[in-house]
Amino acid sequence: MFENTLNRSLRGIILRLFDIRSGEFKRVVLMQLTIFLLISTLLIIKPTITSLFLSDVGIKKLPLAFILVAVVAGFITTFYSRILNSVPLNKIIHSTLLISVILITVFSVLLRLNLVDKWVLYFFYVWVMVFGVLATSQFWLLANIVFNSREAKRLFSLIGGAAIGGGIMGGYLTSIFAPILGSENLLFVGVIFLIICIPLTRNIWYGNQLQKESVFKRKTKMGKVSEHPFHLIIKSKHLKYLALITAISVLVAKLVDYQFNAISSQKITNEDELTAFFGFWFSNFNLISLLIQLFITRRVVGTYGVGVSLFFLPVGILAGVIAIIITPALWAAVLIKASDASLKQSVNRSAIELLALPIPSETKKQAKTFIDVFVDSFATGLSGILLITLINGFNIPLKYVSLLIVVLLFIWFRLVIKVRTEYLSLFKKKLNLHNEPLKNKGLILDVGNQSVYKGLSSVLENGTEKQILYILKNTDDLHHERLLNSIQKLLKHPSPAIVAEAIKKLYDYKSENLSNEIKQFTKSADIHIKIAAIEYLIEHAEKDRIELIQHYITSSDEVIKHAALMAFAIEANNNPDLRKEVGLSEIIREKLKEAESLPENEESDIKKIRLLRLIGTANLPEHYHFITKLLKDSNFKLRSEAILTAGMTYDMLFIPTLLSFLEKKEEKHYAVKAISNYGFKIIVYLSEQIRNNNFSVFIVRGIPEIVENIGTQNGIDFLFELLEYNDIIVRNNVLLSLTRLKNKQPHLVFYNKRIIHNIFDEAKMFLNTLAALHVQQERISNQSNEDTVFEARKSLIQLLERRLDDNLLRIFKFLGLKYPPEEIDSLYRDIKSDKSEMRVNAIEFLDNILDTNLKKTLIPIIETTLSDSITKEIINELRIKVMSQGECFSMLLEGKDVKVKLAVLYLLSVLKDKRYIPIVNTYINHPNKKISSWALNAMNAMNESGEKR
């Protein structure tokens, strides 16, 4: 009894000390233990394989190993990024661990049997280096699924501490036991650690309901994936500098690593002693890194900002380089390695993450991963090539490698200066996103040495509502104490939206508990402020948090009760244990019973809407039947809210119903918003369904806007595929969405080949329409203007003229995807101008900017706008084949424009010419009922008369 009480008390102290909530303890411990064992294993096998490699293969071959690591890492990460979207993450993790266990075991056995050749050492050295990247990458990807964003902010530093602890533990184990057990036996300890990791990761996955979540929800947590982040980096000066700094830092690190290994292997010739030496110092480096992280990083980055913080690592390495130049002793090698290893994962890592702050979140997810993996691998390979050239090729003494490092360090310094300037510039642009002048005209972020934090504080105090909201909503990674006072002042701001966001921002500040001040906002008339206030109070509760939640849930104020439930639903969204403890599902069940008995009036609608939002937020599928019910409700207000709530669930159950609302004018807007919420993976589903003709044309017409809202690279690819859909309205909608995406998200890649292909398609369509128009104009000139045939032909001609204008507009919209859109839009306006001089100048300008292949096709077409009518000379100049009337009708009916088809069928019905029966007969069974009906009418009219006109 006493022992159980003691355990509970100890656990309670730990939970309070590290701010671990109810239902989180098990997840945190399992994740900590997993990363602790992974990093411990890495720090056991890495020193062992490194010492064996240096002893048996030699330091001169280490550069070749660097190149092999780069090549293999490139192949593996490319393959890995592809399978990540199709194979569950848990299977990938387990496969990686199992393969690693097998390989390390095989290597250990080979060592004991003295069967290790040089090629075996190459193989295992490369695998260990790649395993380090893969294992940690997979772990943090899993962590982003297991913990939601709020939990991550509190717990990731704690879990990261376990990683550093694993590094310390693994290194000291290696240092102590390598001389006693021998390197080959020590590897078995790493194997045991990895074997333990397999059930741990399995328990994490299956113990946290991850397998029950939909693919869409898991993928939403993991983030959107772009296939071509390289293009994002090329287009962005800021990303380019970030990639170059990463490359230089890796290049320098590998040269430092080479010097450290070379000097160490020269001074320590015994294999086991070398393994112990590496293990001992790798642990020390991690320990130093931990101390810097705990006591120095925050002060350095917070006080001096991004610019100065980025200098710490290269300056530290420079000190080590100077020491090696003076005397290439073992202490100098340790100094330079210590500077690199300890500062890289502390001050420099924090500064780099802060440097990524102004980058749009989706771009950051795409480009940052590419930089961390591919740029790192490339720089590793480049370091190998440099070392082979200098050491093996020119036989340069080891200490002269330091001179190369010095050169690279000065390039590094230069890049830091440039990236800081670009960082401030980019931040300034983002703050002026809406092109609104700042109320305080003296506020400029890029003012010499003034801190960015000072600029942020000034905007928070003097900026417009949109600017303040932008900062509050888009600086999730920035929680600096110097901003606390500025955010606290916003609690008195007249805008309810700003007050609500300020409370949400204060949620993350732990240094000062503002519960007494925030408590007054629970009486606010604005529900968003109430929810934010109660969420804050729950987060910062000094007493039992569960009791406080239950207190607000039992409030007589229905709005407070709802706000408390919403705040709790957000807090416990990914925590089934916490939901169960409070009985959230039962509370909702009671509210559902109450909702069924309510009379239909405005008050009951409000209660049902609140209940919908609560169910959507709470992640409780057992109550989704209420959403399904209200999706069919006759009350538009309830129906539209149910549509939005269905989108919050990410559940595929609702997709067919949501798609059906795209056909309805009133609900379409809500359906688009709801389906967009499913994220980039829904695009794959939509693509498959369209390919299988499972959607009506009216549903397909609404899909481009959904894809536009999602705004991902695979969405761009899908929209280009959708341009082939056999409906002109779909094509127009797709092009409109592509144009808006180009303007809103210029980092997305629009492939030139696809754009050019579609421009040529539009050009061909323009020429065909022009040919058809010429045929009909020739015919109408010989007709009386009093009969029905004349009127029918005149309507067709007017429609074709409008289609020519549409064609021209689409050509320019496509050109706007390839060339600067503002220039192309201006040129289109000039070409449509009434002033011939402006039209001529616009065509001349186009003639100078277009690619040769486009110029040959488009300039003659655009020159037709200079003519008032379509003459035979124009037709001949454009080399357009003169068609017969039958060929003209066939060509127009084969097109994608439904209105043109109907106009042709109507003309055929009044012509009553039996020669065209075979043409019309093709469309009697057309899937479009209107087309088939008009075709049948035309057929009947032809059969009634034998006349030829």
Side-chain angles (χ1 to χ4, degrees):
M1 175 79 76
F2 174 75
E3 187 177 343
N4 290 337
T5 304
L6 183 63
N7 287 338
R8 284 198 298 271
S9 300
L10 182 61
R11 177 171 168 165
I13 292 170
I14 293 172
L15 292 176
R16 286 193 298 274
L17 182 63
F18 295 107
D19 199 12
I20 302 172
R21 308 290 170 74
S22 175
E24 296 173 350
F25 184 76
K26 181 180 177 182
R27 279 183 288 162
V28 171
V29 170
L30 288 174
M31 294 296 285
Q32 283 183 313
L33 188 54
T34 302
I35 191 64
F36 179 89
L37 292 174
L38 282 174
I39 301 301
S40 293
T41 302
L42 192 60
L43 266 292
I44 290 171
I45 62 176
K46 187 175 179 180
T48 303
I49 189 66
T50 302
S51 65
L52 287 169
F53 187 94
L54 294 175
S55 298
D56 294 350
V57 180
I59 187 65
K60 288 190 176 182
K61 298 297 182 182
L62 188 60
L64 179 59
F66 286 167
I67 297 172
L68 289 174
V69 168
V71 173
V72 173
F75 279 115
I76 289 179
T77 49
T78 301
F79 171 73
Y80 176 65
S81 64
R82 289 181 179 176
I83 65 168
L84 192 59
N85 289 329
S86 56
V87 179
L89 180 62
N90 63 317
K91 291 185 179 179
I92 296 175
I93 292 173
H94 295 155
S95 298
T96 303
L97 291 172
L98 191 58
I99 291 169
S100 300
V101 166
I102 294 169
L103 288 178
I104 297 170
T105 303
V106 169
F107 183 65
S108 302
V109 172
L110 291 175
L111 270 178
R112 289 184 64 84
L113 298 175
N114 292 319
L115 296 176
V116 175
D117 293 324
K118 290 185 178 181
W119 70 267
V120 176
L121 284 171
Y122 272 113
F123 176 86
F124 282 101
Y125 182 90
V126 170
W127 171 252
V128 168
M129 299 302 118
V130 173
F131 166 73
V133 175
L134 278 180
T136 52
S137 172
Q138 289 171 357
F139 174 84
W140 288 111
L141 193 56
L142 177 63
N144 275 281
I145 302 176
V146 170
F147 298 101
N148 61 37
S149 59
R150 290 192 180 279
E151 293 169 339
K153 289 175 185 176
R154 286 186 286 106
L155 303 173
F156 273 15
S157 60
L158 188 62
I159 294 169
I164 297 176
I168 296 170
M169 173 74 170
Y172 284 140
L173 277 176
T174 305
S175 175
I176 295 168
F177 290 107
I180 301 171
L181 300 177
S183 299
E184 66 273 17
N185 294 320
L186 193 61
L187 290 173
F188 285 110
V189 178
V191 169
I192 293 169
F193 284 178
L194 288 184
I195 290 172
I196 297 171
C197 287
I198 294 174
L200 283 176
T201 54
R202 189 182 298 274
N203 194 293
I204 291 166
W205 183 269
Y206 289 101
N208 291 281
Q209 295 190 333
L210 292 179
Q211 81 283 8
K212 297 179 184 177
E213 292 185 351
S214 69
V215 171
F216 297 95
K217 191 159 189 175
R218 289 205 301 269
K219 289 295 182 181
T220 300
K221 289 181 182 180
M222 289 167 66
K224 300 171 184 176
V225 179
S226 171
E227 293 86 344
H228 301 280
F230 178 76
H231 294 279
L232 307 182
I233 296 169
I234 293 299
K235 282 185 170 185
S236 167
K237 189 184 290 186
H238 187 70
L239 284 174
K240 246 185 286 190
Y241 287 141
L242 188 59
L244 287 171
I245 286 175
T246 301
I248 286 286
S249 66
V250 172
L251 192 56
V252 170
K254 293 304 175 185
L255 295 178
V256 166
D257 199 40
Y258 179 84
Q259 286 191 314
F260 175 71
N261 289 330
I263 295 173
S264 301
S265 60
Q266 286 174 4
K267 305 295 182 183
I268 305 171
T269 56
N270 181 273
E271 180 184 296
D272 290 334
E273 288 181 3
L274 185 59
T275 299
F277 174 81
F278 283 149
F280 174 78
W281 279 108
F282 285 168
S283 291
N284 289 342
F285 298 154
N286 275 283
L287 185 59
I288 295 168
S289 179
L290 180 61
L291 293 173
I292 292 173
Q293 182 71 11
L294 291 175
F295 300 109
I296 298 176
T297 297
R298 188 173 178 179
R299 294 182 180 181
V300 168
V301 177
T303 304
Y304 299 109
V306 174
V308 175
S309 301
L310 286 170
F311 280 110
F312 271 67
L313 177 57
V315 167
I317 293 173
L318 183 60
V321 169
I322 294 170
I324 285 181
I325 291 174
I326 294 171
T327 171
L330 194 58
W331 68 266
V334 170
L335 176 62
I336 191 171
K337 183 64 179 175
S339 301
D340 176 61
S342 58
L343 290 170
K344 180 183 289 183
Q345 297 304 325
S346 51
V347 175
N348 194 71
R349 171 55 59 187
S350 296
I352 288 290
E353 292 303 324
L354 194 59
L355 195 63
L357 182 64
I359 303 170
S361 58
E362 293 310 320
T363 307
K364 191 188 302 182
K365 290 174 186 175
Q366 297 163 10
K368 193 74 166 54
T369 303
F370 181 87
I371 291 171
D372 288 343
V373 178
F374 286 93
V375 173
D376 187 295
S377 299
F378 174 80
T380 299
L382 183 59
S383 68
I385 294 171
L386 283 173
L387 287 169
I388 287 174
T389 304
L390 294 173
I391 304 298
N392 298 347
F394 295 100
N395 201 26
I396 292 176
L398 179 65
K399 70 176 184 178
Y400 288 106
V401 174
S402 298
L403 297 178
L404 175 59
I405 295 177
V406 170
V407 173
L408 291 172
L409 286 175
F410 279 106
I411 297 173
W412 192 342
F413 292 146
R414 181 66 179 163
L415 286 171
V416 168
I417 295 169
K418 283 184 172 291
V419 79
R420 180 183 180 274
T421 304
E422 183 61 22
Y423 170 77
L424 294 174
S425 175
L426 187 59
F427 222 116
K428 184 179 178 181
K429 288 176 184 176
K430 287 176 73 67
L431 293 178
N432 289 281
L433 190 65
H434 301 284
N435 296 318
E436 290 187 2
L438 298 175
K439 289 182 180 179
N440 180 1
K441 294 187 180 181
L443 174 63
I444 300 175
L445 293 178
D446 191 4
V447 283
N449 293 323
Q450 183 183 14
S451 170
V452 164
Y453 299 106
K454 182 77 173 178
L456 289 172
S457 176
S458 298
V459 175
L460 288 172
E461 293 177 15
N462 304 299
T464 65
E465 181 178 6
K466 286 183 179 180
Q467 290 167 344
I468 294 171
L469 286 173
Y470 183 84
I471 289 179
L472 292 175
K473 290 179 179 180
N474 291 277
T475 54
D476 289 340
D477 300 327
L478 190 62
H479 308 299
H480 195 272
E481 296 302 323
R482 290 168 65 187
L483 287 177
L484 176 59
N485 186 51
S486 298
I487 296 174
Q488 194 173 342
K489 289 178 182 178
L490 294 176
L491 296 177
K492 298 178 181 179
H493 200 281
S495 166
I498 287 178
V499 173
E501 288 299 327
I503 295 173
K504 290 178 186 177
K505 197 68 179 174
L506 290 169
Y507 178 101
D508 298 308
Y509 285 85
K510 308 295 182 185
S511 59
E512 188 173 349
N513 192 332
L514 302 173
S515 295
N516 290 333
E517 188 174 349
I518 299 294
K519 194 172 183 179
Q520 63 175 310
F521 292 105
T522 60
K523 299 176 183 178
S524 170
D526 187 277
I527 190 169
H528 300 292
I529 293 178
K530 278 189 176 183
I531 291 173
I534 291 172
E535 193 175 338
Y536 180 93
L537 294 172
I538 291 171
E539 163 70 13
H540 293 266
E542 294 179 354
K543 297 181 180 179
D544 191 345
R545 185 175 283 103
I546 303 301
E547 286 184 10
L548 182 63
I549 291 169
Q550 291 173 334
H551 167 72
Y552 281 118
I553 288 174
T554 56
S555 170
S556 58
D557 186 331
E558 284 295 324
V559 178
I560 287 181
K561 185 188 294 185
H562 171 68
L565 284 170
M566 285 294 290
F568 175 67
I570 293 168
E571 184 75 16
N573 179 272
N574 199 38
N575 192 333
D577 294 336
L578 189 57
R579 290 200 301 263
K580 189 175 180 181
E581 189 173 350
V582 174
L584 182 60
S585 184
E586 288 71 23
I587 292 171
I588 293 176
R589 190 172 288 112
E590 289 300 317
K591 285 186 168 292
L592 285 172
K593 289 180 182 177
E594 180 188 339
E596 290 175 0
S597 62
L598 292 174
E600 292 187 5
N601 54 40
E602 189 173 346
E603 185 180 347
S604 72
D605 288 350
I606 292 171
K607 289 185 177 181
K608 288 177 181 177
I609 288 171
R610 288 175 182 169
L611 188 51
L612 272 171
R613 291 173 181 169
L614 182 59
I615 292 170
T617 305
N619 189 21
L620 293 170
E622 60 263 34
H623 300 307
Y624 286 174
H625 60 88
F626 186 65
I627 303 173
T628 303
K629 179 183 176 182
L630 292 191
L631 285 171
K632 302 172 184 176
D633 201 280
S634 58
N635 185 326
F636 173 73
K637 191 175 180 181
L638 292 177
R639 198 164 63 251
S640 59
E641 192 64 42
I643 291 170
L644 294 175
T645 304
M648 292 169 60
T649 68
Y650 307 104
D651 199 313
M652 283 298 293
L653 167 73
F654 298 110
I655 284 295
T657 306
L658 292 176
L659 286 167
S660 69
F661 284 120
L662 294 177
E663 298 183 278
K664 300 175 182 179
K665 188 176 180 181
E666 281 188 323
E667 290 91 346
K668 182 180 176 182
H669 166 74
Y670 300 96
V672 166
K673 190 173 180 181
I675 299 170
S676 302
N677 209 38
Y678 280 73
F680 82 110
K681 289 299 290 185
I682 196 65
I683 294 172
V684 178
Y685 170 82
L686 295 174
S687 177
E688 290 174 356
Q689 296 300 310
I690 291 174
R691 214 175 289 125
N692 295 327
N693 294 317
N694 292 336
F695 293 152
S696 72
V697 67
F698 300 103
I699 289 178
V700 179
R701 287 174 180 175
I703 286 175
E705 191 177 350
I706 294 170
V707 179
E708 176 191 336
N709 287 347
I710 295 171
T712 56
Q713 187 60 51
N714 71 328
I716 296 292
D717 300 339
F718 171 57
L719 286 175
F720 273 103
E721 291 175 11
L722 203 54
L723 285 168
E724 305 299 324
Y725 192 83
N726 193 26
D727 181 75
I728 199 67
I729 295 177
V730 170
R731 188 174 177 85
N732 288 339
N733 290 349
V734 168
L735 187 51
L736 187 61
S737 291
L738 283 170
T739 302
R740 287 197 288 243
L741 278 169
K742 178 75 172 180
N743 292 329
K744 289 189 292 186
Q745 302 195 50
H747 63 275
L748 293 174
V749 180
F750 294 76
Y751 300 102
N752 280 339
K753 285 185 179 179
R754 290 179 175 177
I755 295 170
I756 292 170
H757 170 74
N758 279 280
I759 290 174
F760 284 143
D761 279 352
E762 290 294 340
K764 183 180 178 181
M765 198 183 302
F766 185 96
L767 295 174
N768 286 339
T769 305
L770 201 63
L773 181 60
H774 176 66
V775 170
Q776 298 306 318
Q777 285 179 339
E778 288 282 302
R779 293 278 179 165
I780 202 171
S781 63
N782 299 321
Q783 280 184 233
S784 166
N785 60 0
E786 296 177 358
D787 61 4
T788 54
V789 174
F790 177 88
E791 292 300 325
R793 203 182 296 277
K794 182 180 177 183
S795 296
L796 177 59
I797 288 171
Q798 291 172 342
L799 185 58
L800 292 175
E801 287 173 340
R802 288 198 296 272
R803 291 302 178 256
L804 280 179
D805 288 337
D806 292 343
N807 261 139
L808 190 65
L809 176 60
R810 285 196 297 272
I811 287 171
F812 274 85
K813 288 296 182 185
F814 277 118
L815 287 173
L817 299 178
K818 177 174 170 58
Y819 299 100
E822 61 279 358
E823 289 183 9
I824 297 299
D825 288 343
S826 177
L827 286 171
Y828 177 74
R829 287 193 297 270
D830 290 346
I831 283 170
K832 298 297 291 182
S833 169
D834 293 333
K835 299 177 180 178
S836 59
E837 185 179 353
M838 289 185 71
R839 297 204 300 271
V840 170
N841 289 337
I843 293 171
E844 179 63 26
F845 185 80
L846 266 177
D847 192 49
N848 284 283
I849 67 169
L850 291 180
D851 295 346
T852 304
N853 55 345
L854 287 176
K855 188 188 305 184
K856 288 179 181 178
T857 303
L858 295 184
I859 295 300
I861 286 174
I862 296 170
E863 283 178 339
T864 61
T865 60
L866 300 176
S867 302
D868 296 326
S869 60
I870 308 301
T871 63
K872 285 185 179 180
E873 288 74 17
I874 290 176
I875 296 297
N876 292 333
E877 286 176 9
L878 292 173
R879 297 180 182 178
I880 297 174
K881 177 189 173 183
V882 178
M883 295 183 286
S884 67
Q885 184 163 228
E887 290 173 328
C888 173
F889 290 148
S890 294
M891 184 266 295
L892 292 175
L893 286 170
E894 288 169 2
K896 298 179 180 180
D897 195 318
V898 174
K899 287 186 177 180
V900 169
K901 289 176 189 273
L902 296 177
V904 171
L905 290 171
Y906 176 69
L907 176 56
L908 288 170
S909 70
V910 296
L911 277 173
K912 301 178 182 179
D913 193 329
K914 286 189 174 183
R915 288 179 299 176
Y916 304 127
I917 286 177
I919 297 174
V920 175
N921 190 51
T922 308
Y923 296 91
I924 289 178
N925 296 316
H926 196 276
N928 186 313
K929 292 181 179 178
K930 198 168 186 180
I931 291 174
S932 63
S933 173
W934 284 43
L936 185 60
N937 288 339
M939 180 68 76
N940 291 335
M942 291 178 198
N943 288 328
E944 288 173 6
S945 173
E947 292 183 35
K948 292 183 180 181
R949 303 183 62 176

